[in-house]
């Protein structure tokens, strides 16, 4: 048993799967197991087992073992076949030798080409690597160059500005030295010079050496510019002092050159202070002189006949008081508060004197303070603009100019008020100031706020004092010392009505609780006075006529000026209604008193269910029915005439007559109602009652028409 695959003293590691493998085994000398040197290290039994097992699994071996083929014979056949095939293959090779040689040459050529291509690609790879490195280098260089460019541009910009600012052009020098300050070119070059001065200061802080090159010439130009500006502004300020000069014109000129003061303030504060002090001194004197003269001349066109301390509401109506009828009456004086007059042109005293015109104090006060308002607002705006001040600095500068004038105004007002008893004038002055204060608030000019407060602190106490004096005068009035009794409206109540309506109408725009309280006190005293006067009349009828006439008069005057829902109007309406109703009962009583008493008595018993108590009053009822039927027309006619004679206000008299007739119809209607009750239905006299509708028609004929 020969194991194929073992030759040359070692086992074959290739399994015998094909005939070619068997040929290899056949070529090798056969090896018996007995020839194996099992003691050597070359053979490992495990490997032998593995190969044996592998060869036994071969299909050919399996087939040979199955059929019992002699492997040595089979090996020789295989070897012979292989030699034949080898010879055939050699012949094929020889036949194809030229093609093989050509193929070899082509392969060699291809190898050469591929070798060159490999060299070229290696070169390209090397070049690409080099190019990538160069691109990165160029990118870094580009970034670096861009940064250097930006730095150079920044430096160039700063250097350019530095050079521009350091260079003082000849045009600037010639204009600053030779051109008038009013030329536009001078103003432009002054701006440039100011810029160079500020830049030189900035460079000096940085210790830039180049600024020393221009410092001298810049300083000289600054000195020259300051000198010319100082001379120009002082000349304008001095021009204010010339007589009959409208100082607003040079003021407006200065505003065009407000930069001049700004330049001085920035570069020569001593000169700026000199100019400011000179302006303050000049304008302070101008305003004081102007307003002092204007105020004194205004007082020369005031009404000569003014109220004195005895001209009070509760005093006797003397001829001198009658001549001053505007003391308690507003009249046309309230027009001073209208927008047209409040902000109208100021009075010209010498023109008024030539025309022999005279004015109440509040008109002069309005003119004086509107002039102050107009000039004060304009001055404050000028100071804020030209001298560049704001807030408290602006107020301080304004007060340094106007303070003396404002103090004079307050002093003069205090002096005048100490001897003033014209409450209407004082109250109008209060409301003039309230409106002027509102104007300055609207214009956002706080310069006069403190002054307005000072004026009001003088006016309010005086007004309250005069009002309290009038209240006291009415409280102390003795009705028996006021002349002959008369049912017509009393002159004291007329004074009150005129005064109260004036104050109420003025006070509506700027209500004041203190004023309302004082008016309330005054109204109480007047109501008490009217009651005291009414008590002097012997009959209740005359008392009621007096009360109604006075209430009606006061209500009528109040309603002309005050609102319908004001406290004063409502109070007198209630009083008038109550007294009118009482008077109607009073005048109906004489002609119709019996019927009225019977109706009231019957209605009271009806409510209690005791009307039967009057069952035996047939004679009384008969007399009442026949008496009314026979005399009512004459009684109504007499009543109407009597009422119209008693009341000064025809409209009020007519209203009272209508009220009386309406009340009469209501009583007669009540009379009908009582007699229709079961207790009186059997009375024959009921047929003599006048038809109620017929009575109403007849009564309408007696209503007076005015």
């Amino acid at each position: 048993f020969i194991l194929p695959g073992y030759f040359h003293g070692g086992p074959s590691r290739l399994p015998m799967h094909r005939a070619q493998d068997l040929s290899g085994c056949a070529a090798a000398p056969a090896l018996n197991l007995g020839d194996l040197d099992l003691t050597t290290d070359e053979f490992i039994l495990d490997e032998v087992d593995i190969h044996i097992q592998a060869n036994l699994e071969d299909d050919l071996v399996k087939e040979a073992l199955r059929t019992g083929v002699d492997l040595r014979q089979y090996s020789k056949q295989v070897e012979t076949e292989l030699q034949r095939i080898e010879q055939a293959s050699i012949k094929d090779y020889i036949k194809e030798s030229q093609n093989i040689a050509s193929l070899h040459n082509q392969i060699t050529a291809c190898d050469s080409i591929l070798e060159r291509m490999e060299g070229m690609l290696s070169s390209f790879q090397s070049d690409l690597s080099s190019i990538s490195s160069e691109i990165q280098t160029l990118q870094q260089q580009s970034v670096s160059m861009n940064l250097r460019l930006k730095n150079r541009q920044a430096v160039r910009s700063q250097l350019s500005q530095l050079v521009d600012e350091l260079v003082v052009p000849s045009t600037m020098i010639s204009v600053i030295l030779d051109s008038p300050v009013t030329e536009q070119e001078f103003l432009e070059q002054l701006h440039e010079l100011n810029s160079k001065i500020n830049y030189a200061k900035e460079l000096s802080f940085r210790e830039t050496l180049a600024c020393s090159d221009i410092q001298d010439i810049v300083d000289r130009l600054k000195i020259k510019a300051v000198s010319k500006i100082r001379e120009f502004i002082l000349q304008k300020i001095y021009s204010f002092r010339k007589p009959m000069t409208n100082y607003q014109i040079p003021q407006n000129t200065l505003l065009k050159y407000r930069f001049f003061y700004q330049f001085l303030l920035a570069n020569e504060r001593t000169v700026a202070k000199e100019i400011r002090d000179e302006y303050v001194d000049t304008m302070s004197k101008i305003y004081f002189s102007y307003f002092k003269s204007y105020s004194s001349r205004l007082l020369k066109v005031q009404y000569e006949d003014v109220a004195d301390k005895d001209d009070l509401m509760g005093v006797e109506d003397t001829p001198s008081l009658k001549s001053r009828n505007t003391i308690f009456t507003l009249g046309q004086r309230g027009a001073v508060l209208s927008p047209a007059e409040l902000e109208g042109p100021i009075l010209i005293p010498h023109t008024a004197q030539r025309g022999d015109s005279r004015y109440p104090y509040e008109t002069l006060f309005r003119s004086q303070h509107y002039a102050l308002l107009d000039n004060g607002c304009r001055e404050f705006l000028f100071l804020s603009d030209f001298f560049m001040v704001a807030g408290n600095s602006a107020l301080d500068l304004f007060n340094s100019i106007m303070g003396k004038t404002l103090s004079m105004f307050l002093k003069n007002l205090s002096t005048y008020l100490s001897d003033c008893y014209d409450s209407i004038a004082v109250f109008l002055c209060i409301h003039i100031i309230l409106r002027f204060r509102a104007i300055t608030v609207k214009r956002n000019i706080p310069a006069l706020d403190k002054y307005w407060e000072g004026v009001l602190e003088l006016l309010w106490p005086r007004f309250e004092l005069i009002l309290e004096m009038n209240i006291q005068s009415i409280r102390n009035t003795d009705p028996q010392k006021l002349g002959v009794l008369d049912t017509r409206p009393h002159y004291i109540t007329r004074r009150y009505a005129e005064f109260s309506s004036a104050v109420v109408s003025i006070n509506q725009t700027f209500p004041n609780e203190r004023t309302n309280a004082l008016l309330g006190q005054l109204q109480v005293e007047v109501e008490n006075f009217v009651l005291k006067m009414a008590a002097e009349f012997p009959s209740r009828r005359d008392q009621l006529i007096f009360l109604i006439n006075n209430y009606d008069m006061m209500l009528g005057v109040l309603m002309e000026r005050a609102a319908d829902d004001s406290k004063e109007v409502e109070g007198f309406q209630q009083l008038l209604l109550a007294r009118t109703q009482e008077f109607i009962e009073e005048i109906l009583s004489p002609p119709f008193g019996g019927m009225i008493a019977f109706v009231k008595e019957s209605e009271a018993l009806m409510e209690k269910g005791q009307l039967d108590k009057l069952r035996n009053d047939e004679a009384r009822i008969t007399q009442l029915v026949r008496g009314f039927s026979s005399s009512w027309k004459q009684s109504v006619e007499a009543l109407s005439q009597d009422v119209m004679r008693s009341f000064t206000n025809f409209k009020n008299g007519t209203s009272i007559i209508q009220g009386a007739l309406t009340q009469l119809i209501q009583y007669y209607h009540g009379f009908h109602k009582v007699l229709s009750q079961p207790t009186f239905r059997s009375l024959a006299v009921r047929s003599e009652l006048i038809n109620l509708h017929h009575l109403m028609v007849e009564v309408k004929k007696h209503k007076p028409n005015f």
Side-chain angles (χ1 to χ4, degrees):
F1 188 101
I2 305 298
L3 286 176
Y6 284 86
F7 52 89
H8 300 296
S12 174
R13 298 188 181 272
L14 295 174
M16 295 174 62
H17 297 293
R18 295 180 180 89
Q20 293 85 344
D21 293 331
L22 293 175
S23 66
C25 292
L31 187 63
N32 295 323
L33 290 174
D35 295 334
L36 293 174
D37 185 1
L38 299 178
T39 61
T40 63
D41 295 332
E42 295 180 2
F43 300 99
I44 302 172
L45 294 178
D46 292 338
E47 291 185 1
V48 173
D49 291 338
I50 292 172
H51 285 287
I52 291 173
Q53 185 65 33
N55 288 330
L56 288 175
E57 291 177 358
D58 186 85
D59 292 338
L60 291 175
V61 175
K62 286 181 179 180
E63 179 63 23
L65 292 174
R66 187 179 61 80
T67 57
V69 175
D70 186 355
L71 292 180
R72 285 174 294 181
Q73 184 63 31
Y74 184 73
S75 173
K76 286 178 181 182
Q77 290 176 0
V78 171
E79 184 177 353
T80 302
E81 184 66 25
L82 286 175
Q83 286 176 355
R84 187 182 63 77
I85 293 171
E86 182 180 359
Q87 290 298 322
S89 296
I90 291 171
K91 288 178 181 180
D92 289 338
Y93 276 119
I94 292 171
K95 186 188 294 186
E96 297 293 333
S97 60
Q98 290 182 352
N99 292 335
I100 293 171
S102 175
L103 179 61
H104 176 74
N105 291 334
Q106 288 178 6
I107 291 172
T108 303
C110 285
D111 287 341
S112 177
I113 291 171
L114 290 173
E115 184 179 1
R116 289 198 304 272
M117 288 182 66
E118 182 181 7
M120 290 174 63
L121 289 174
S122 298
S123 176
F124 286 160
Q125 183 178 8
S126 177
D127 290 343
L128 287 174
S129 177
S130 175
I131 289 171
S132 175
S133 176
E134 289 178 1
I135 289 174
Q136 290 180 354
T137 303
L138 289 174
Q139 186 177 9
Q140 292 174 356
Q141 290 177 353
S142 174
V143 172
S144 177
M145 290 175 66
N146 187 38
L147 181 59
R148 289 199 297 271
L149 177 61
K150 288 183 178 179
N151 291 338
R152 288 181 181 180
Q153 287 177 341
V155 171
R156 180 180 179 182
S157 175
Q158 293 183 2
L159 287 175
S160 176
Q161 182 183 359
L162 176 63
V163 172
D164 290 342
E165 294 293 345
L166 288 177
V167 173
V168 180
S170 58
T171 304
M172 177 185 291
I173 297 173
S174 61
V175 170
I176 295 296
L177 293 178
D178 301 328
S179 295
V181 296
T182 54
E183 295 289 336
Q184 180 63 26
E185 191 177 14
F186 179 86
L187 187 59
E188 292 174 357
Q189 293 300 327
L190 187 66
H191 277 279
E192 290 295 326
L193 176 60
N194 190 58
S195 176
K196 291 187 183 298
I197 293 172
N198 292 333
Y199 197 73
K201 289 179 181 178
E202 183 181 347
L203 291 179
S204 65
F205 292 144
R206 300 178 184 175
E207 298 182 356
T208 304
L209 297 177
C211 71
S212 60
D213 295 339
I214 65 164
Q215 192 67 51
D216 184 57
I217 188 169
V218 168
D219 288 343
R220 292 182 184 181
L221 289 175
K222 181 179 72 173
I223 292 171
K224 183 63 177 177
V226 167
S227 176
K228 293 175 72 173
I229 291 171
R230 174 183 177 276
E231 182 180 355
F232 170 75
I233 296 178
L234 287 178
Q235 182 183 359
K236 288 296 178 185
I237 293 174
Y238 293 150
S239 67
F240 296 171
R241 303 175 181 178
K242 295 178 182 178
M244 305 301 292
T245 297
N246 184 355
Y247 65 87
Q248 295 173 10
I249 295 176
Q251 261 189 346
N252 293 334
T253 303
L254 284 177
L255 284 177
K256 296 178 182 178
Y257 303 102
R258 61 174 64 85
F259 180 71
F260 287 174
Y261 184 79
Q262 182 180 346
F263 180 84
L264 294 177
L265 197 62
N267 299 289
E268 197 62 55
R269 287 187 173 272
T270 54
V271 176
K273 185 177 184 303
E274 177 191 4
I275 287 175
R276 182 164 137 168
D277 291 345
E278 194 67 35
Y279 178 84
V280 168
D281 182 64
T282 299
M283 294 308 297
S284 176
K285 292 177 180 177
I286 289 174
Y287 281 126
F288 182 78
S289 175
Y290 165 72
F291 279 110
K292 182 178 181 182
S293 172
Y294 184 65
S295 299
S296 62
R297 286 186 285 124
L298 272 180
L299 291 177
K300 293 179 181 179
V301 295
Q302 183 183 3
Y303 283 131
E304 296 179 358
D305 197 9
V306 295
D308 58 34
K309 63 180 179 179
D310 296 323
D311 294 334
L312 300 173
M313 203 174 293
V315 301
E316 189 177 354
D317 200 18
T318 61
S320 62
L321 192 59
K322 288 181 179 179
S323 66
R324 297 193 292 274
N325 57 2
T326 59
I327 294 175
F328 306 109
T329 306
L330 185 61
Q332 298 301 316
R333 298 172 72 180
V336 73
L337 297 178
S338 66
E341 287 198 28
L342 189 69
E343 299 183 59
I346 64 173
L347 292 176
I348 309 300
H350 60 270
T351 303
Q353 282 181 306
R354 282 202 302 267
D356 206 22
S357 300
R358 292 293 181 268
Y359 302 93
Y361 178 74
E362 66 271 8
T363 300
L364 310 181
F365 182 87
R366 195 281 318 174
S367 183
Q368 178 189 34
H369 282 81
Y370 187 69
L372 174 65
L373 169 69
D374 190 39
N375 286 275
C377 289
R378 185 182 294 108
E379 186 64 29
F380 184 79
L381 292 175
F382 174 82
L383 296 175
S384 301
D385 198 358
F386 186 78
F387 291 105
M388 298 179 297
V389 289
N392 290 331
S393 298
L395 294 176
D396 291 342
L397 185 59
F398 178 84
N399 289 329
S400 63
I401 293 174
M402 299 295 295
K404 191 175 179 182
T405 300
L406 299 179
S407 297
M408 176 192 69
F409 273 19
L410 292 173
K411 182 178 179 181
N412 291 347
L413 179 62
S414 178
T415 302
Y416 180 84
L417 291 176
S418 64
D419 196 38
C420 175
Y421 297 92
D422 188 348
S423 54
I424 296 291
V426 176
F427 199 59
L428 286 172
C429 290
I430 289 173
H431 281 265
I432 288 170
I433 294 299
L434 292 175
R435 285 161 174 76
F436 282 168
R437 184 172 65 179
I439 291 173
T440 55
V441 170
K442 186 178 180 180
R443 295 182 184 179
N444 196 25
I445 296 179
L448 293 169
D449 288 355
K450 190 174 180 181
Y451 174 74
W452 300 140
E453 294 300 326
V455 173
L456 292 175
E457 287 175 2
L458 292 175
L459 291 171
W460 274 118
R462 188 64 189 180
F463 173 72
E464 292 171 357
L465 175 63
I466 299 173
L467 201 52
E468 288 170 354
M469 291 172 65
N470 281 283
I471 292 172
Q472 189 65 35
S473 70
I474 294 175
R475 184 181 296 127
N476 297 336
T477 298
D478 185 357
Q480 296 182 355
K481 296 181 180 179
L482 296 180
V484 181
L485 288 174
D486 193 337
T487 58
R488 290 176 297 180
H490 200 275
Y491 60 83
I492 290 181
T493 57
R494 183 174 296 279
R495 291 174 188 171
Y496 161 75
E498 295 286 353
F499 176 79
S500 181
S501 65
V503 173
V504 168
S505 63
I506 295 170
N507 202 45
Q508 286 175 349
T509 307
F510 293 92
N512 179 268
E513 292 303 322
R514 175 62 177 161
T515 302
N516 293 335
L518 289 171
L519 282 179
Q521 295 179 25
L522 182 62
Q523 181 178 345
V524 169
E525 294 301 331
V526 169
E527 291 175 4
N528 292 337
F529 165 75
V530 171
L531 292 174
K532 285 193 296 184
M533 284 297 301
E536 296 294 315
F537 291 92
S539 68
R540 183 58 181 167
R541 178 180 178 280
D542 288 342
Q543 291 176 0
L544 292 172
I545 293 174
F546 176 80
L547 291 173
I548 292 171
N549 275 331
N550 280 273
Y551 292 153
D552 178 64
M553 182 273 299
M554 289 189 284
L555 185 61
V557 174
L558 280 171
M559 291 184 69
E560 289 179 5
R561 298 186 180 275
D564 292 344
D565 59 349
S566 68
K567 294 180 181 179
E568 292 78 12
V569 170
E570 290 180 356
F572 285 115
Q573 281 178 335
Q574 293 174 1
L575 290 171
L576 178 62
L577 182 62
R579 298 290 80 77
T580 300
Q581 192 61 37
E582 185 181 351
F583 179 73
I584 288 173
E585 295 289 338
E586 187 73 22
I587 60 175
L588 288 176
S589 181
F592 308 110
M595 181 193 68
I596 294 172
F598 177 78
V599 169
K600 290 181 177 179
E601 182 182 358
S602 299
E603 288 177 346
L605 291 173
M606 284 172 62
E607 290 181 1
K608 299 177 182 179
Q610 301 174 356
L611 192 58
D612 290 343
K613 290 184 177 181
L614 300 178
R615 183 181 298 275
N616 299 324
D617 282 357
E618 181 178 354
R620 177 186 175 190
I621 294 172
T622 302
Q623 182 182 0
L624 291 175
V625 171
R626 292 173 179 173
F628 182 87
S629 300
S630 62
S631 64
W632 76 268
K633 289 185 179 180
Q634 296 85 349
S635 299
V636 167
E637 184 67 30
L639 180 148
S640 299
Q641 294 178 2
D642 183 38
V643 169
M644 297 310 299
R645 286 194 301 267
S646 300
F647 297 99
T648 55
N649 183 352
F650 288 144
K651 183 178 179 181
N652 185 43
T654 302
S655 176
I656 291 174
I657 291 173
Q658 291 176 348
L661 296 179
T662 300
Q663 188 67 30
L664 175 62
I665 291 173
Q666 289 178 351
Y667 279 132
Y668 200 68
H669 178 264
F671 192 49
H672 266 262
K673 185 177 179 181
V674 170
L675 295 184
S676 65
Q677 297 299 312
T679 305
F680 304 113
R681 282 178 185 173
S682 60
L683 294 179
V685 76
R686 288 182 66 249
S687 61
E688 299 180 25
L689 286 171
I690 300 174
N691 181 272
L692 194 62
H693 180 71
H694 176 70
L695 179 64
M696 292 174 64
V697 173
E698 291 296 322
V699 162
K700 286 183 179 179
K701 296 178 182 179
H702 291 272
K703 288 185 178 180
N705 297 312
F706 294 98

